[in-house]
mmCIF file of all heavy atoms in Angstrom:
data_model
loop_
_atom_site.group_PDB
_atom_site.id
_atom_site.type_symbol
_atom_site.label_atom_id
_atom_site.label_comp_id
_atom_site.label_asym_id
_atom_site.label_seq_id
_atom_site.Cartn_x
_atom_site.Cartn_y
_atom_site.Cartn_z
ATOM 1 N N HIS A 195 -12.223 14.714 -5.988
ATOM 2 C CA HIS A 195 -12.318 14.501 -7.450
ATOM 3 C C HIS A 195 -11.715 13.221 -7.832
ATOM 4 O O HIS A 195 -12.239 12.463 -8.713
ATOM 5 C CB HIS A 195 -11.803 15.706 -8.195
ATOM 6 C CG HIS A 195 -12.683 16.862 -8.239
ATOM 7 N ND1 HIS A 195 -13.402 17.186 -9.215
ATOM 8 C CD2 HIS A 195 -12.812 17.846 -7.271
ATOM 9 C CE1 HIS A 195 -14.217 18.277 -8.873
ATOM 10 N NE2 HIS A 195 -13.687 18.815 -7.909
ATOM 11 N N LEU A 196 -10.630 12.869 -7.183
ATOM 12 C CA LEU A 196 -9.949 11.609 -7.496
ATOM 13 C C LEU A 196 -10.907 10.470 -7.074
ATOM 14 O O LEU A 196 -11.048 9.589 -7.932
ATOM 15 C CB LEU A 196 -8.641 11.599 -6.768
ATOM 16 C CG LEU A 196 -7.846 10.309 -6.838
ATOM 17 C CD1 LEU A 196 -7.219 10.113 -8.205
ATOM 18 C CD2 LEU A 196 -6.725 10.309 -5.795
ATOM 19 N N ALA A 197 -11.453 10.580 -5.952
ATOM 20 C CA ALA A 197 -12.401 9.404 -5.558
ATOM 21 C C ALA A 197 -13.595 9.306 -6.475
ATOM 22 O O ALA A 197 -14.099 8.246 -6.614
ATOM 23 C CB ALA A 197 -12.734 9.697 -4.071
ATOM 24 N N VAL A 198 -14.115 10.433 -6.959
ATOM 25 C CA VAL A 198 -15.210 10.485 -7.887
ATOM 26 C C VAL A 198 -14.818 9.885 -9.291
ATOM 27 O O VAL A 198 -15.501 9.101 -9.914
ATOM 28 C CB VAL A 198 -15.830 11.806 -8.007
ATOM 29 C CG1 VAL A 198 -17.016 11.938 -9.036
ATOM 30 C CG2 VAL A 198 -16.545 12.086 -6.476
ATOM 31 N N ARG A 199 -13.772 10.398 -9.712
ATOM 32 C CA ARG A 199 -13.258 10.222 -11.119
ATOM 33 C C ARG A 199 -12.551 8.878 -11.304
ATOM 34 O O ARG A 199 -12.671 8.193 -12.404
ATOM 35 C CB ARG A 199 -12.426 11.313 -11.667
ATOM 36 C CG ARG A 199 -13.255 12.648 -11.788
ATOM 37 C CD ARG A 199 -12.162 13.815 -12.105
ATOM 38 N NE ARG A 199 -11.667 13.538 -13.445
ATOM 39 C CZ ARG A 199 -12.196 13.947 -14.542
ATOM 40 N NH1 ARG A 199 -13.348 14.430 -14.514
ATOM 41 N NH2 ARG A 199 -11.551 13.907 -15.710
ATOM 42 N N HIS A 200 -11.782 8.508 -10.302
ATOM 43 C CA HIS A 200 -10.943 7.194 -10.310
ATOM 44 C C HIS A 200 -11.148 6.436 -9.074
ATOM 45 O O HIS A 200 -10.221 6.222 -8.285
ATOM 46 C CB HIS A 200 -9.549 7.677 -10.555
ATOM 47 C CG HIS A 200 -9.350 8.517 -11.727
ATOM 48 N ND1 HIS A 200 -9.253 7.977 -13.039
ATOM 49 C CD2 HIS A 200 -9.127 9.905 -11.858
ATOM 50 C CE1 HIS A 200 -9.072 9.011 -13.883
ATOM 51 N NE2 HIS A 200 -8.997 10.177 -13.142
ATOM 52 N N PRO A 201 -12.344 5.967 -8.726
ATOM 53 C CA PRO A 201 -12.471 5.194 -7.479
ATOM 54 C C PRO A 201 -11.643 4.032 -7.386
ATOM 55 O O PRO A 201 -11.280 3.596 -6.244
ATOM 56 C CB PRO A 201 -13.960 4.805 -7.419
ATOM 57 C CG PRO A 201 -14.407 4.933 -8.874
ATOM 58 C CD PRO A 201 -13.473 5.954 -9.606
ATOM 59 N N GLU A 202 -11.143 3.397 -8.437
ATOM 60 C CA GLU A 202 -10.388 2.258 -8.391
ATOM 61 C C GLU A 202 -8.970 2.434 -7.847
ATOM 62 O O GLU A 202 -8.304 1.450 -7.355
ATOM 63 C CB GLU A 202 -10.321 1.535 -9.763
ATOM 64 C CG GLU A 202 -9.466 2.389 -10.728
ATOM 65 C CD GLU A 202 -10.060 3.614 -11.376
ATOM 66 O OE1 GLU A 202 -11.253 3.940 -11.082
ATOM 67 O OE2 GLU A 202 -9.311 4.278 -12.168
ATOM 68 N N VAL A 203 -8.602 3.619 -7.835
ATOM 69 C CA VAL A 203 -7.122 3.919 -7.319
ATOM 70 C C VAL A 203 -7.202 4.445 -5.865
ATOM 71 O O VAL A 203 -6.107 4.400 -5.190
ATOM 72 C CB VAL A 203 -6.399 4.949 -8.085
ATOM 73 C CG1 VAL A 203 -6.347 4.508 -9.550
ATOM 74 C CG2 VAL A 203 -6.915 6.319 -7.990
ATOM 75 N N VAL A 204 -8.371 4.611 -5.248
ATOM 76 C CA VAL A 204 -8.361 5.054 -3.884
ATOM 77 C C VAL A 204 -8.699 4.055 -2.821
ATOM 78 O O VAL A 204 -9.813 3.466 -3.012
ATOM 79 C CB VAL A 204 -9.389 6.249 -3.758
ATOM 80 C CG1 VAL A 204 -9.440 6.785 -2.328
ATOM 81 C CG2 VAL A 204 -9.032 7.351 -4.735
ATOM 82 N N ASN A 205 -7.892 3.806 -1.872
ATOM 83 C CA ASN A 205 -8.096 2.924 -0.792
ATOM 84 C C ASN A 205 -8.860 3.575 0.354
ATOM 85 O O ASN A 205 -9.755 2.995 0.953
ATOM 86 C CB ASN A 205 -6.781 2.249 -0.315
ATOM 87 C CG ASN A 205 -6.887 1.169 0.731
ATOM 88 O OD1 ASN A 205 -7.733 0.151 0.530
ATOM 89 N ND2 ASN A 205 -6.517 1.378 1.868
ATOM 90 N N SER A 206 -8.330 4.762 0.677
ATOM 91 C CA SER A 206 -8.956 5.498 1.748
ATOM 92 C C SER A 206 -8.567 6.981 1.675
ATOM 93 O O SER A 206 -7.643 7.275 0.784
ATOM 94 C CB SER A 206 -8.470 5.017 3.158
ATOM 95 O OG SER A 206 -7.137 5.441 3.376
ATOM 96 N N LEU A 207 -9.375 7.858 2.211
ATOM 97 C CA LEU A 207 -9.147 9.355 2.191
ATOM 98 C C LEU A 207 -9.143 9.885 3.535
ATOM 99 O O LEU A 207 -9.835 9.540 4.413
ATOM 100 C CB LEU A 207 -10.354 9.971 1.496
ATOM 101 C CG LEU A 207 -10.670 9.594 -0.011
ATOM 102 C CD1 LEU A 207 -12.015 10.074 -0.333
ATOM 103 C CD2 LEU A 207 -9.625 10.172 -0.859
ATOM 104 N N VAL A 208 -8.124 10.801 3.694
ATOM 105 C CA VAL A 208 -8.164 11.777 4.941
ATOM 106 C C VAL A 208 -8.246 13.198 4.262
ATOM 107 O O VAL A 208 -7.433 13.541 3.503
ATOM 108 C CB VAL A 208 -6.894 11.584 5.782
ATOM 109 C CG1 VAL A 208 -6.907 12.656 6.759
ATOM 110 C CG2 VAL A 208 -6.800 10.234 6.267
ATOM 111 N N LEU A 209 -9.383 13.823 4.592
ATOM 112 C CA LEU A 209 -9.594 15.131 3.987
ATOM 113 C C LEU A 209 -9.736 16.173 5.118
ATOM 114 O O LEU A 209 -10.510 16.081 6.031
ATOM 115 C CB LEU A 209 -10.960 15.115 3.222
ATOM 116 C CG LEU A 209 -11.170 14.070 2.222
ATOM 117 C CD1 LEU A 209 -12.613 14.013 1.764
ATOM 118 C CD2 LEU A 209 -10.156 14.240 1.117
ATOM 119 N N ALA A 210 -8.877 17.202 5.103
ATOM 120 C CA ALA A 210 -8.737 18.216 5.997
ATOM 121 C C ALA A 210 -8.955 19.616 5.425
ATOM 122 O O ALA A 210 -8.619 19.809 4.332
ATOM 123 C CB ALA A 210 -7.393 18.188 6.700
ATOM 124 N N CYS A 211 -9.690 20.415 6.158
ATOM 125 C CA CYS A 211 -9.881 21.809 5.786
ATOM 126 C C CYS A 211 -10.585 21.990 4.535
ATOM 127 O O CYS A 211 -10.092 22.661 3.509
ATOM 128 C CB CYS A 211 -8.562 22.553 5.769
ATOM 129 S SG CYS A 211 -7.641 22.419 7.399
ATOM 130 N N THR A 212 -11.753 21.258 4.289
ATOM 131 C CA THR A 212 -12.348 21.254 2.960
ATOM 132 C C THR A 212 -13.795 21.123 3.074
ATOM 133 O O THR A 212 -14.427 21.017 4.234
ATOM 134 C CB THR A 212 -11.723 20.116 2.105
ATOM 135 O OG1 THR A 212 -12.183 20.359 0.817
ATOM 136 C CG2 THR A 212 -12.237 18.792 2.569
ATOM 137 N N GLY A 213 -14.489 21.038 2.000
ATOM 138 C CA GLY A 213 -15.949 20.833 1.984
ATOM 139 C C GLY A 213 -16.186 20.267 0.657
ATOM 140 O O GLY A 213 -15.314 20.066 -0.231
ATOM 141 N N ALA A 214 -17.575 19.961 0.399
ATOM 142 C CA ALA A 214 -17.916 19.223 -0.845
ATOM 143 C C ALA A 214 -18.178 20.240 -1.966
ATOM 144 O O ALA A 214 -18.262 19.997 -3.099
ATOM 145 C CB ALA A 214 -19.181 18.454 -0.672
ATOM 146 N N SER A 215 -18.116 21.553 -1.571
ATOM 147 C CA SER A 215 -18.209 22.534 -2.670
ATOM 148 C C SER A 215 -17.438 23.878 -2.026
ATOM 149 O O SER A 215 -17.121 23.949 -0.907
ATOM 150 C CB SER A 215 -19.732 22.968 -2.888
ATOM 151 O OG SER A 215 -20.345 23.454 -1.702
ATOM 152 N N ALA A 216 -17.277 24.767 -2.929
ATOM 153 C CA ALA A 216 -16.614 26.005 -2.501
ATOM 154 C C ALA A 216 -17.505 27.205 -2.880
ATOM 155 O O ALA A 216 -18.260 27.044 -3.772
ATOM 156 C CB ALA A 216 -15.229 26.162 -3.170
ATOM 157 N N ASP A 217 -17.195 28.287 -2.152
ATOM 158 C CA ASP A 217 -17.962 29.502 -2.471
ATOM 159 C C ASP A 217 -17.277 30.147 -3.656
ATOM 160 O O ASP A 217 -16.156 30.649 -3.657
ATOM 161 C CB ASP A 217 -18.054 30.453 -1.273
ATOM 162 C CG ASP A 217 -18.716 31.691 -1.618
ATOM 163 O OD1 ASP A 217 -18.259 32.580 -2.323
ATOM 164 O OD2 ASP A 217 -19.932 31.773 -1.080
ATOM 165 N N ALA A 218 -17.802 30.113 -4.801
ATOM 166 C CA ALA A 218 -17.245 30.548 -6.039
ATOM 167 C C ALA A 218 -16.922 32.093 -6.059
ATOM 168 O O ALA A 218 -15.913 32.473 -6.525
ATOM 169 C CB ALA A 218 -18.120 30.239 -7.244
#
Side-chain angles (χ1 to χ4, degrees):
H195 283 264
L196 177 69
V198 169
R199 295 172 65 82
H200 304 281
E202 71 284 357
V203 303
V204 179
N205 182 59
S206 70
L207 296 166
V208 175
L209 306 174
C211 307
T212 195
S215 66
D217 182 283

